[in-house]
Amino acid sequence: MKIQLWREMLDPYDLAVKELITKFEHLKYEHKARGLYCPIEDVTGRVKSVSSILDKLKKKNLELEQMEQELDDLAGIRIICQFVEDIEKVVSIIRSRTDMTVRQEKDYITNEKTSGYRSYHIIVDYQVQTLNGPKTLKVEIQIRTMGMNFWSTIEHSLQYKYKQNIPEHIREKLSNAADAIEVLDREMSEVRNEIMDAQNARQIQSNI
Amino acid sequence: MKIQLWREMLDPYDLAVKELITKFEHLKYEHKARGLYCPIEDVTGRVKSVSSILDKLKKKNLELEQMEQELDDLAGIRIICQFVEDIEKVVSIIRSRTDMTVRQEKDYITNEKTSGYRSYHIIVDYQVQTLNGPKTLKVEIQIRTMGMNFWSTIEHSLQYKYKQNIPEHIREKLSNAADAIEVLDREMSEVRNEIMDAQNARQIQSNI
Amino acid sequence: MKIQLWREMLDPYDLAVKELITKFEHLKYEHKARGLYCPIEDVTGRVKSVSSILDKLKKKNLELEQMEQELDDLAGIRIICQFVEDIEKVVSIIRSRTDMTVRQEKDYITNEKTSGYRSYHIIVDYQVQTLNGPKTLKVEIQIRTMGMNFWSTIEHSLQYKYKQNIPEHIREKLSNAADAIEVLDREMSEVRNEIMDAQNARQIQSNI
Amino acid sequence: MKIQLWREMLDPYDLAVKELITKFEHLKYEHKARGLYCPIEDVTGRVKSVSSILDKLKKKNLELEQMEQELDDLAGIRIICQFVEDIEKVVSIIRSRTDMTVRQEKDYITNEKTSGYRSYHIIVDYQVQTLNGPKTLKVEIQIRTMGMNFWSTIEHSLQYKYKQNIPEHIREKLSNAADAIEVLDREMSEVRNEIMDAQNARQIQSNI
C-alpha cells in the first residue's frame, strides 16, 4: 500500500484521537474547576504505526483489507488513574456518554493476563466527519493505574525484544515488579479517602 | 453572579470551541494531505468574555437568565478564507456535516451592514458532554476573507472606543478602507483559478 | 543525502523555530497583560522543506555542504503587524534583545522588489543546545503587515506555478492588488492613533 | 499586592517554564529521532500559585520583597525518568548546557528526607527577555523516577491536609508505599540494560 493511501486510511483515526484527548482533558479541567476529585490523572493517545499494523496483521494471519474490521486498536486512548478504585469511575463515565457507544469491555484487572498484564480495556464506536462524510470507527480505551502503566511499558519493550521468548531470569524480575506494584496500589487504596479529601481541599482553596 | 457560577455556565462553550477548532484544523490538514486546495486559510475561536456578555445583555435589555437563550455568540468560531468564492464552499461543508445542525444563516456579504461590515454568519446547534450529561448549545461561525477580517478588527476597536458615535473623518477613512478591500478581493478572485492550480501543484509536490 | 541525515541537520533549526515562536507569543501576552498595544498581531514559523532547499541550491548553483553557510532561511519566523508603523517597533525590539544577534537587515519596504514584494527581513544568529552541545545558526525573521502578507502568499504561489514567466495579464492583476494594499495600509495608518487608543482601553477594561 | 502586580512579577517565570519545557521536549525528540534511548520519560512545569507563595513566605517568616531572592521554586520543572540510573544522566546533561548555570544541587536520593521523600533537585540561573530587557531568574528542576513521583504526589496531598501532623496509621502506609517503590525501582534497574537495548531496537525500527 502506498504511503498516500495509508495516510488517507489512518487520517480519520488521527482525528478521533485528537477529539477524544480534547474531551477527556476537558473532563479533568471541569472536575478541577468545581473543586471535585478527578478520577483521571493523565490522558494520552496515539494512532498505531504502520509497522505495528503490519506486524499485527502478519501475526494474526490477516489481509490488509481486513485491517479496519479486525484490529480494534488502530486508534488508542490511554487513561491513567491514581487509584485502582478510580478505574471503575472512569468506566462508568464512558458508559454514560452519548458521543460514543461501548462495543466490548475486557477486564484484565480481575482477569490478569498470564504475562502479569493488568488494565481495563473498552472498545467504543466513535463517529468523525471526513472529506467523504461521516465515518464510524473503533477506538480502544485503556484504563490503568500509574503502577500498571509503568509495568506494561517495560513489559512491552521486552516483548518486542524477545518476541515470545523472554528469558527466565527476566521473566522473574518482571513478576517481582508486578507484585511490588500490586502491594503499592493496595497500600495506596487504603489511604485513598484521606487523599481525596486532601486534594479536594487544595483545589477549592486554589480556586478562590 | 459569582465567578464560580460563570465558569460552570461557560465551561461547555469552552469545550465546544476547542472541539470545533480541532475539527476544522483537521479539515485543513486533510485537504493538504490529499493535495487538494483548502477553502479554509485559518481558524480561530473564543468564548465571549464576561464583560462583553454583560454589555450585550444591557444593550439588549435582557436578564442574566435569558443569556443562553438569547445570545447566539457565547461560543464563536471564525474561519478566514483566501477568496470570496471559498466562503460558499465552507458554508456548504458546514451544511453537510452531521455533528452540527444549522439554526440560522445571515449573509452580510450580499447584504452588507450599513457600517460596511461584511461576513457570512451561521448559527449551529452543537452537542457537548458535560459532568451533568449531554448539552446542546449554540455556536456562531463567522466566515470571511482576510480583507473582511482586517476591516472588521479595526472597526470593532473603533466601535468600542466611540460607542455609536464614530467621528465623521474616521468614518470616511473606514469607508475608503472598505472600498480598497473590495477592489482587492475582486482582483484576487480574477486570478483565483490560476492560484488554486499553483497551490495544488505545490502541495502535491511537497507530499512526495 | 539520507532522510536520517537531513533530519539530524534540520533538527536544531526546528528547535530554534519552536523557541522563537514561544518567545514572540509571550511578548504578545506580556503587552496584553499590561494593557499595552502590541505591535505583533501574529507569529508563525517553519523549517524550509527538503524539496525547497534542493530547489534553492540548484538555482544558486551550490553544493549540499554549503547549505548552512549560504542559505539564510533554513529557519524562518514571520511576524504579522496591523500597521506599517508597527514594523519598525518590532525591528527595534529585535535589535535590543540579548538572546539573538542581528547579522543583516533587508528593507524591502523602502526598497520594494521589482515584483512588488514588500517586507522587512532580519537575519539573526541564534544559539540552541543540541545533543552535541551548543550550536549557533541563522534565522530569517520576516516582518510585514497583513496586507503585505496576503499579497506575498498569492505571489509566491504564482511564482511557483510559472517559475520566472508569469503571464502579463496576471502580472497586471498582481500589480493592481499591490496598489490596493498600499492604499489600504495608508488609510489605516491615518486612523492608527485612534485605534491604538481604542484597543488599549479595551484591554485594560478586560483585565479588570 | 494587586493581581496586576503579581502577574507582572510572575510573567517572566511563566516564560522560563514554557521555554524549558520546549527545550527538554526537543531533547526527547532528538534522542528518538536518532534511535537513542532517552533518559527523560516526561517533562512538566508550573509557576508557583499565589496562594502557595503566600503560605511559604509565612512559614519561612519572609516579606513579600524577599520572594524572588529567597524562594527557589517560583518556576519549577519536573523531569520523570524510567530508571534510577537515568537521573544522573539527566543531571549531567543539565550541567553541560550553556543556556543555564547550576547554582545548587540537592541530592535527596542519596540523602532521603525523613518523610521518605526522594528526588534530585537542581537550582539553575536562567535568563529570559522581558519588556524591560533581559532578566536572570532561578528555576528549580526536580528529577525523579515514576515511582518517586507517584509517592511524592500522594505525600504532598497529605501534607497539605494534615500540615505537620499526619496521623500515625497513615504515616505507616506511606512508609510501606515508599518501601514498595524502592523494591520496584531496584528490580527495574536490574533489567535496565535489557530494556534499553529493546527500546533502542524499536525506535530504530520505527524510524525506517
Side-chain angles (χ1 to χ4, degrees):
Chain A
M1 197 151 84
K2 286 262 193 63
I3 187 72
Q4 184 69 14
L5 288 176
W6 275 106
R7 222 162 154 175
E8 287 184 20
M9 198 274 287
L10 293 176
D11 269 357
Y13 292 88
D14 186 46
L15 177 56
V17 167
K18 280 190 207 135
E19 290 185 15
L20 289 169
I21 288 177
T22 303
K23 290 175 174 190
F24 285 116
E25 284 290 351
H26 187 84
L27 205 58
K28 271 179 69 179
Y29 170 78
E30 220 180 342
H31 279 89
K32 208 180 150 185
R34 303 199 187 182
L36 298 172
Y37 173 80
C38 182
I40 296 173
E41 174 71 20
D42 199 18
V43 187
T44 57
R46 63 99 189 92
V47 173
K48 206 173 183 70
S49 72
V50 172
S51 64
S52 296
I53 294 173
L54 292 175
D55 283 355
K56 198 155 191 176
L57 288 176
K58 198 173 164 189
K59 196 174 141 195
K60 294 196 160 200
N61 213 11
L62 295 166
E63 301 298 319
L64 271 177
E65 298 70 41
Q66 298 172 279
M67 178 173 10
E68 294 194 78
Q69 178 73 27
E70 298 295 333
L71 302 189
D72 293 338
D73 66 344
L74 294 178
I77 296 290
R78 185 168 295 161
I79 293 177
I80 307 298
C81 305
Q82 276 193 291
F83 301 105
V84 181
E85 289 78 3
D86 296 332
I87 294 175
E88 64 201 35
K89 297 234 163 152
V90 175
V91 170
S92 82
I93 287 172
I94 290 171
R95 284 191 197 126
S96 71
R97 294 181 70 105
T98 61
D99 60 345
M100 52 187 79
T101 317
V102 176
R103 283 177 80 95
Q104 198 184 348
E105 301 191 13
K106 300 177 193 170
D107 179 357
Y108 297 125
I109 296 173
T110 312
N111 309 299
E112 194 175 308
K113 284 197 184 180
T114 49
S115 63
Y117 178 81
R118 295 189 307 143
S119 254
Y120 200 100
H121 291 194
I122 302 184
I123 319 291
V124 298
D125 276 333
Y126 184 77
Q127 193 181 67
V128 292
Q129 307 286 315
T130 76
L131 273 183
N132 306 323
K135 171 169 180 142
T136 298
L137 36 81
K138 285 180 285 183
V139 179
E140 184 182 84
I141 307 176
Q142 300 180 342
I143 311 156
R144 39 171 91 157
T145 62
M146 289 165 79
M148 295 173 192
N149 188 47
F150 181 38
W151 187 89
S152 69
T153 304
I154 304 290
E155 200 255 356
H156 192 241
S157 294
L158 291 171
Q159 282 286 358
Y160 186 85
K161 182 177 180 193
Y162 296 107
K163 309 292 163 192
Q164 314 305 353
N165 313 303
I166 299 181
E168 192 49 42
H169 73 285
I170 296 192
R171 196 180 292 281
E172 201 176 312
K173 296 283 172 207
L174 265 180
S175 175
N176 292 347
D179 292 348
I181 285 163
E182 283 211 49
V183 169
L184 182 61
D185 275 343
R186 206 155 47 229
E187 298 287 343
M188 288 300 94
S189 287
E190 288 176 25
V191 283
R192 182 171 173 268
N193 289 335
E194 314 270 352
I195 290 159
M196 279 179 54
D197 289 354
Q199 292 184 346
N200 284 353
R202 271 178 70 198
Q203 275 160 12
I204 290 166
Q205 185 70 15
S206 70
N207 285 338
I208 292 172
Chain B
M1 198 152 83
K2 286 262 191 64
I3 188 72
Q4 184 69 13
L5 288 176
W6 275 106
R7 222 162 156 176
E8 287 183 21
M9 199 275 286
L10 292 176
D11 269 357
Y13 292 87
D14 186 47
L15 177 56
V17 167
K18 280 190 207 136
E19 289 185 16
L20 289 169
I21 288 177
T22 302
K23 289 175 174 189
F24 285 116
E25 285 290 351
H26 188 83
L27 205 58
K28 272 179 67 179
Y29 170 78
E30 220 179 342
H31 279 90
K32 208 179 151 186
R34 302 200 187 181
L36 299 172
Y37 173 80
C38 182
I40 296 173
E41 175 71 19
D42 199 17
V43 186
T44 56
R46 63 99 188 93
V47 173
K48 207 174 183 70
S49 71
V50 171
S51 64
S52 296
I53 294 173
L54 292 175
D55 282 355
K56 198 155 191 175
L57 288 175
K58 197 173 163 189
K59 196 175 141 194
K60 293 196 160 199
N61 214 11
L62 294 167
E63 302 298 319
L64 271 178
E65 298 70 40
Q66 297 173 281
M67 178 174 9
E68 294 194 77
Q69 177 74 28
E70 298 296 333
L71 302 189
D72 292 338
D73 66 344
L74 294 179
I77 296 290
R78 185 169 295 162
I79 293 177
I80 308 297
C81 305
Q82 275 194 294
F83 301 105
V84 179
E85 289 78 4
D86 297 332
I87 294 173
E88 64 201 33
K89 297 233 164 153
V90 174
V91 170
S92 82
I93 287 173
I94 289 170
R95 284 191 197 126
S96 70
R97 294 181 71 104
T98 61
D99 60 345
M100 54 187 78
T101 316
V102 176
R103 283 176 81 94
Q104 198 184 350
E105 300 191 13
K106 299 176 191 170
D107 179 357
Y108 297 125
I109 295 172
T110 312
N111 309 299
E112 194 175 308
K113 285 196 181 181
T114 48
S115 64
Y117 178 80
R118 295 189 307 142
S119 255
Y120 200 100
H121 292 195
I122 303 185
I123 319 291
V124 298
D125 276 333
Y126 184 77
Q127 192 180 68
V128 292
Q129 305 286 315
T130 76
L131 273 183
N132 307 321
K135 170 168 180 143
T136 298
L137 36 79
K138 286 180 284 184
V139 179
E140 183 182 87
I141 306 176
Q142 300 180 342
I143 311 156
R144 38 171 91 156
T145 62
M146 289 166 79
M148 295 173 191
N149 188 46
F150 182 38
W151 188 89
S152 69
T153 304
I154 305 289
E155 200 255 355
H156 191 240
S157 294
L158 291 171
Q159 282 287 358
Y160 186 86
K161 182 177 180 193
Y162 296 107
K163 311 290 165 191
Q164 313 305 353
N165 313 304
I166 298 182
E168 193 48 42
H169 73 284
I170 296 192
R171 196 180 292 282
E172 201 176 311
K173 295 283 172 206
L174 265 180
S175 174
N176 292 348
D179 292 348
I181 285 163
E182 284 211 47
V183 170
L184 182 61
D185 275 343
R186 206 155 47 230
E187 297 287 343
M188 288 300 96
S189 288
E190 287 176 27
V191 283
R192 182 172 173 268
N193 289 335
E194 314 270 353
I195 290 159
M196 278 180 54
D197 289 354
Q199 292 184 347
N200 284 352
R202 269 179 71 199
Q203 275 160 9
I204 291 167
Q205 185 70 15
S206 69
N207 285 338
I208 291 172
Chain C
M1 197 153 84
K2 286 261 190 64
I3 187 72
Q4 184 71 12
L5 288 176
W6 276 106
R7 222 162 157 176
E8 288 183 21
M9 199 275 287
L10 293 175
D11 269 357
Y13 293 88
D14 186 45
L15 176 56
V17 167
K18 279 189 208 138
E19 290 185 16
L20 289 169
I21 288 177
T22 303
K23 290 175 174 190
F24 285 116
E25 284 290 351
H26 188 83
L27 206 59
K28 273 179 67 179
Y29 170 77
E30 220 179 340
H31 278 90
K32 209 180 151 186
R34 304 201 187 179
L36 298 172
Y37 172 80
C38 182
I40 296 174
E41 175 70 20
D42 199 17
V43 186
T44 56
R46 63 96 188 94
V47 173
K48 206 173 182 71
S49 71
V50 172
S51 65
S52 296
I53 294 173
L54 292 175
D55 283 356
K56 198 155 190 176
L57 288 176
K58 197 174 164 190
K59 197 174 140 194
K60 294 195 159 202
N61 212 13
L62 295 167
E63 301 299 318
L64 270 177
E65 297 70 39
Q66 298 172 280
M67 177 176 4
E68 294 194 77
Q69 177 74 27
E70 298 296 334
L71 302 189
D72 293 338
D73 66 343
L74 294 179
I77 296 290
R78 185 168 294 162
I79 294 177
I80 307 297
C81 306
Q82 276 193 293
F83 301 104
V84 179
E85 289 78 5
D86 297 332
I87 294 174
E88 62 202 36
K89 297 231 165 155
V90 175
V91 169
S92 81
I93 287 172
I94 290 171
R95 285 189 198 129
S96 71
R97 294 180 71 105
T98 61
D99 60 344
M100 53 187 77
T101 317
V102 175
R103 282 175 81 95
Q104 199 184 349
E105 300 191 13
K106 300 178 191 170
D107 178 356
Y108 296 126
I109 296 173
T110 311
N111 309 299
E112 194 175 308
K113 284 196 182 181
T114 49
S115 64
Y117 177 81
R118 295 189 308 142
S119 255
Y120 200 99
H121 292 195
I122 302 185
I123 319 292
V124 297
D125 276 333
Y126 185 77
Q127 191 180 68
V128 292
Q129 306 287 315
T130 76
L131 273 184
N132 306 321
K135 171 169 178 144
T136 298
L137 37 79
K138 286 180 284 182
V139 179
E140 184 183 87
I141 306 176
Q142 300 179 342
I143 312 156
R144 38 171 91 158
T145 62
M146 290 166 78
M148 295 173 192
N149 188 45
F150 181 39
W151 187 90
S152 69
T153 304
I154 304 290
E155 200 255 357
H156 192 241
S157 294
L158 292 170
Q159 282 288 357
Y160 187 87
K161 182 178 181 192
Y162 295 109
K163 311 289 166 193
Q164 314 304 354
N165 313 304
I166 299 180
E168 193 49 42
H169 73 283
I170 296 192
R171 197 179 293 280
E172 202 177 313
K173 295 284 172 206
L174 265 180
S175 173
N176 292 348
D179 292 348
I181 285 163
E182 283 211 47
V183 170
L184 182 61
D185 275 343
R186 207 157 43 232
E187 298 287 344
M188 287 300 97
S189 288
E190 288 176 26
V191 283
R192 180 171 173 267
N193 289 334
E194 314 270 352
I195 290 159
M196 278 179 54
D197 289 354
Q199 292 184 345
N200 285 352
R202 269 178 71 200
Q203 275 160 9
I204 291 167
Q205 185 69 16
S206 69
N207 284 338
I208 292 173
Chain D
M1 197 152 85
K2 286 262 192 63
I3 188 71
Q4 185 70 14
L5 288 176
W6 275 106
R7 223 162 156 176
E8 287 183 21
M9 198 275 288
L10 293 176
D11 270 357
Y13 292 88
D14 186 46
L15 177 55
V17 167
K18 280 189 208 137
E19 290 185 16
L20 288 169
I21 288 177
T22 303
K23 289 175 174 191
F24 285 116
E25 284 289 353
H26 188 83
L27 205 59
K28 272 179 68 178
Y29 169 78
E30 221 179 340
H31 278 89
K32 208 180 151 185
R34 302 199 188 181
L36 299 171
Y37 172 80
C38 183
I40 297 174
E41 175 71 20
D42 199 17
V43 186
T44 57
R46 63 98 187 93
V47 173
K48 206 173 183 70
S49 71
V50 172
S51 65
S52 296
I53 294 173
L54 292 176
D55 283 356
K56 199 155 190 176
L57 289 176
K58 198 173 164 190
K59 197 174 139 195
K60 295 195 159 202
N61 213 11
L62 295 167
E63 301 299 317
L64 271 176
E65 297 71 39
Q66 298 172 280
M67 178 174 8
E68 295 193 78
Q69 178 74 27
E70 298 295 334
L71 302 189
D72 293 338
D73 66 343
L74 293 178
I77 296 291
R78 186 168 294 161
I79 294 178
I80 308 297
C81 305
Q82 275 193 292
F83 301 105
V84 179
E85 288 78 5
D86 297 332
I87 294 175
E88 63 201 34
K89 297 232 165 155
V90 175
V91 170
S92 81
I93 288 172
I94 289 171
R95 285 191 197 126
S96 70
R97 294 180 71 105
T98 62
D99 60 345
M100 54 186 77
T101 316
V102 175
R103 281 175 81 94
Q104 199 184 349
E105 301 191 12
K106 299 178 193 170
D107 178 357
Y108 297 125
I109 296 173
T110 311
N111 309 299
E112 195 175 308
K113 285 196 184 181
T114 49
S115 64
Y117 178 81
R118 294 190 307 142
S119 255
Y120 200 100
H121 292 195
I122 302 184
I123 319 291
V124 298
D125 275 333
Y126 184 78
Q127 191 179 68
V128 294
Q129 305 287 315
T130 76
L131 273 184
N132 306 322
K135 172 169 179 143
T136 298
L137 36 79
K138 286 180 284 182
V139 178
E140 184 183 86
I141 306 176
Q142 300 179 342
I143 312 155
R144 38 172 90 159
T145 62
M146 290 165 79
M148 295 173 192
N149 188 46
F150 182 37
W151 187 89
S152 68
T153 304
I154 304 291
E155 199 256 357
H156 192 241
S157 294
L158 292 171
Q159 282 286 358
Y160 186 86
K161 183 178 180 194
Y162 296 108
K163 309 291 164 192
Q164 313 305 353
N165 314 303
I166 299 181
E168 193 49 41
H169 74 284
I170 296 192
R171 197 180 292 282
E172 201 177 313
K173 295 284 173 208
L174 266 179
S175 174
N176 292 347
D179 292 348
I181 285 163
E182 282 211 48
V183 170
L184 182 61
D185 274 344
R186 207 157 44 232
E187 298 287 345
M188 287 300 96
S189 287
E190 288 176 25
V191 283
R192 182 171 173 266
N193 289 334
E194 313 271 352
I195 290 159
M196 279 179 53
D197 289 355
Q199 292 184 347
N200 283 352
R202 269 177 71 199
Q203 275 161 10
I204 291 166
Q205 184 69 15
S206 71
N207 284 337
I208 292 172

